[in-house]
Amino acid sequence: MADPHTDQQPMIRLENVTKTYPGVDEPAVADLSLDVHAGEIVVLLGPSGCGKTTTMRMINRLIEPTSGRIYIDGADVTNVDPDELRRHIGYVIQQVGLLPHLTVGANIGMVPKALGWDKKRTDDRVTELLALLGLDPPESYRRRYPKQLSGGQQQRVGVARALAADPPVMLMDEPFGALDPIIRDRLQDEFLTLQQQIHKTIVFVTHDIEEALKLGDRIAIFGTGGRIAQFDTPIKLLTEPADEFVASFIGAGSSVRLLGLQHVEELPLQAVDTVEDEQQASQHLDGKRVLLTDGGRPARWLPALADGQVATVRGGQTLYQALDAMLTAHDDLAVVTDEDGRVLGGLSMDTVLRHVPSDEAGGG
Ligand code: ADP
Ligand code: MG
């Protein structure tokens, strides 16, 4: 497949970047080169201490590289005033970093204020962002102080603040790392939905493989000493890990993880016989089953299955969800529907199983 990005200038480019902290022999980041395309989420994944935060902070120049070059949208960041640079790069960190003595509204409005926006424009932007991040009603949330919010709400405010001046680039350093698993999962989903609307160029740091696979368009797995072991799409990492280090980092269960990354519409569907009227069903019942539909939507199988359920998945759902629906309905066929719930066809368990790469190809 041709890479649609090859002709395009990357939004972020790291070129042979090295950072050696004073008094430390080993570099924290060593000769790192990495391109991030416009509108892409690139995840930096690796164990604690591998240089992820150092890399992020070099991109917005909270840390100066020892050597190498960093470009944003073609411009060398070392030639830009650091304060000016940071107003055009959103930065979200795990500790959130909201100022406790300022209201939520004032926290979100910090960068617009620094950019000299007038009060009305800033207020409108704060309202828009609070609504966008699900902090409704905005008029109530903007007046609160950070400590009057839950951890998940504070993190939403942190994201809103980073988005305030609509920067093209966002750096997110383990932003959901301190949240409990259910809230984290919800924020990840919201974040993906949001990204479909705002198309930011995002560098996202995590040490959590599940989070990386879920959010990343591409993932850079850091090895030791600030070097990249592999930089690839989630599916490539799972099916073709570059070496033992990557394979062991991804760990067991890559086949199940692949199921969660592939969508039902990527597989061939089979025809499903449907009838809208149960009376007509007898004509079709020559040993095969028929799906009784109601306005094009699945109602039940004829003859009825033991537990009467129809395993149903929507087109955009994953193979994991399709298998889950089949297992729940004790059936080996899932009915695939469109957005409105109308029948598109059937997906058999056999088709799903044949689509999962063998263990050999999966690298264990
Ligand atoms: P990560 O975010 O992947 O956990 P960091 O970038 O924070 O890793 O750190 C990378 C390495 O650099 C670690 O070994 C860390 O101890 C070291 N390090 C980070 N900041 C400093 C500093 N200010 N001075 C010296 N060493 C540092
Ligand atoms: Mg870190």
Side-chain angles (χ1 to χ4, degrees):
M1 198 164 55
D3 180 354
H5 296 292
T6 41
D7 299 337
Q8 252 170 278
Q9 173 172 280
M11 181 60 98
I12 304 171
R13 162 163 282 177
L14 274 62
E15 222 173 67
N16 309 107
V17 172
T18 296
K19 176 66 189 182
T20 308
Y21 286 108
V24 184
D25 291 340
E26 285 290 299
V29 173
D31 197 29
L32 182 69
S33 295
L34 182 86
D35 280 358
V36 184
H37 306 305
E40 182 181 40
I41 302 177
V42 163
V43 172
L44 309 183
L45 173 67
S48 177
C50 72
K52 304 180 299 292
T53 294
T54 301
T55 303
M56 294 285 244
R57 292 165 74 89
M58 286 192 288
I59 296 173
N60 66 8
R61 283 189 65 198
L62 287 168
I63 295 175
E64 300 293 337
T66 309
S67 62
R69 286 266 168 265
I70 299 175
Y71 302 91
I72 293 191
D73 207 9
D76 185 340
V77 298
T78 50
N79 296 327
V80 181
D81 169 52
D83 289 330
E84 180 62 18
L85 178 73
R86 285 194 281 276
R87 286 177 198 139
H88 300 282
I89 300 178
Y91 188 41
V92 186
I93 55 174
Q94 184 182 119
Q95 305 77 7
V96 194
L98 300 177
L99 297 177
H101 59 283
L102 293 182
T103 63
V104 164
N107 267 286
I108 296 174
M110 260 162 45
V111 171
K113 193 175 169 192
L115 287 171
W117 293 18
D118 65 37
K119 185 173 174 337
K120 164 116 181 43
R121 185 177 171 204
T122 304
D123 285 352
D124 289 349
R125 180 65 177 156
V126 169
T127 302
E128 182 187 350
L129 284 164
L130 286 169
L132 192 65
L133 271 300
L135 294 163
D136 248 342
E139 286 322 306
S140 156
Y141 280 99
R142 73 186 313 139
R143 284 195 298 266
R144 295 194 202 176
Y145 287 87
K147 67 172 190 301
Q148 298 171 311
L149 301 178
S150 71
Q153 289 170 336
Q154 288 182 31
Q155 198 52 266
R156 285 188 174 91
V157 174
V159 174
R161 182 182 55 179
L163 286 170
D166 206 18
V169 171
M170 296 265 285
L171 306 178
M172 306 181 75
D173 194 346
E174 311 212 26
F176 310 137
L179 304 173
D180 74 64
I182 292 170
I183 304 287
R184 186 191 312 148
D185 206 51
R186 190 183 305 156
L187 275 180
Q188 288 167 348
D189 290 338
E190 289 174 8
F191 169 66
L192 283 176
T193 308
L194 183 65
Q195 168 66 354
Q196 286 175 358
Q197 301 170 45
I198 61 181
H199 306 291
K200 299 295 179 193
T201 305
I202 296 169
V203 184
F204 190 107
V205 160
T206 185
H207 61 265
D208 175 4
I209 173 81
E210 303 292 343
E211 182 166 71
L213 293 171
K214 180 170 173 181
L215 301 182
D217 294 311
R218 291 191 296 157
I219 301 171
I221 297 194
F222 277 59
T224 48
R227 284 173 205 281
I228 292 182
Q230 188 170 357
F231 184 29
D232 248 321
T233 62
I235 288 181
K236 269 284 174 78
L237 287 172
L238 290 172
T239 54
E240 297 169 37
D243 56 26
E244 274 305 307
F245 174 83
V246 174
S248 70
F249 195 80
I250 290 170
S254 55
S255 293
V256 172
R257 287 182 169 134
L258 271 172
L259 289 173
L261 292 173
Q262 296 172 297
H263 297 90
V264 295
E265 70 273 13
E266 294 162 25
L267 269 62
L269 301 186
Q270 61 191 64
V272 172
D273 285 332
T274 61
V275 286
E276 278 278 315
D277 181 352
E278 193 166 354
Q279 307 301 328
Q280 294 169 14
S282 55
Q283 305 163 18
H284 295 263
L285 286 177
D286 47 356
K288 284 195 296 179
R289 54 177 164 158
V290 176
L291 184 66
L292 180 68
T293 54
D294 179 6
R297 299 178 182 86
R300 59 192 161 88
W301 287 108
L302 299 168
L305 294 186
D307 29 10
Q309 285 193 55
V310 181
T312 309
V313 280
R314 270 184 295 101
Q317 290 190 295
T318 63
L319 298 188
Y320 186 94
Q321 288 166 310
L323 268 189
D324 188 55
M326 290 188 235
L327 294 171
T328 305
H330 293 163
D331 198 353
D332 60 1
L333 185 74
V335 174
V336 180
T337 68
D338 64 14
E339 282 290 295
D340 297 323
R342 295 202 175 74
V343 177
L344 293 174
L347 179 64
S348 70
M349 189 169 293
D350 201 46
T351 303
V352 175
L353 296 186
R354 273 187 284 114
H355 197 71
V356 176
S358 66
D359 199 37
E360 205 179 328

